[in-house]
Amino acid sequence: MKDELFILWTNDNPIVSEKMVCMYAHNAVKKKWWDEVTIIIWGATAKYAATDKNIRNRITGMQSDGVKFSACISCAEQLGVCDELAEIGIELKKWGEPLTEIIKKGKKLITV
């Protein structure tokens, strides 16, 4: 069984993004604290990840090291950023049911 962590990233604050979400997720993969780390981009974070050059660069670097990214397609559509997220390799999908399953099955989830 894989030791996996999901991070539900809903906060578009640059300091929170850099000093919690990115720092922890990146180190967790590089230092092998978890077998797999997936960051779920939801809400305002979709626009932030799509339009801020610094966070886009950080995301692509993290992806290169093995951090997985996926975004709520409904949020991305409503915010008009689907193309920008896809351009940097972020998966787009409906996350309502999968997130519910993560919670119901007691999988490891951090919400920021």
Side-chain angles (χ1 to χ4, degrees):
M1 187 170 154
K2 268 194 285 193
D3 197 17
E4 60 185 337
L5 172 68
F6 296 90
I7 300 174
L8 179 59
W9 183 20
T10 64
N11 186 320
D12 65 348
N13 179 293
I15 296 170
V16 172
S17 300
E18 181 70 24
K19 302 301 178 197
M20 191 290 148
V21 176
C22 294
M23 185 183 291
Y24 183 77
H26 206 187
N27 280 314
V29 167
K30 291 191 325 186
K31 296 180 181 191
K32 301 186 185 327
W33 298 336
W34 296 91
D35 295 332
E36 187 173 292
V37 176
T38 301
I39 295 177
I40 304 164
I41 295 172
W42 198 303
T45 306
K47 187 168 186 176
Y48 174 57
T51 60
D52 184 275
K53 182 181 177 183
N54 291 331
I55 201 65
R56 286 172 63 88
N57 290 337
R58 186 71 191 259
I59 287 170
T60 56
M62 292 169 61
Q63 288 169 318
S64 295
D65 287 334
V67 177
K68 297 178 184 221
F69 284 84
S70 184
C72 170
I73 193 166
S74 296
C75 296
E77 287 173 344
Q78 291 172 28
L79 295 168
V81 295
C82 290
D83 292 342
E84 292 87 344
L85 294 174
E87 182 179 278
I88 58 170
I90 294 176
E91 171 192 52
L92 296 164
K93 72 180 200 177
K94 293 184 178 184
W95 262 101
E97 287 184 34
L99 180 61
T100 301
E101 286 303 306
I102 288 168
I103 295 165
K104 284 184 173 185
K105 290 182 177 180
K107 293 183 178 182
K108 305 301 183 209
L109 174 68
I110 296 173
T111 303
V112 181

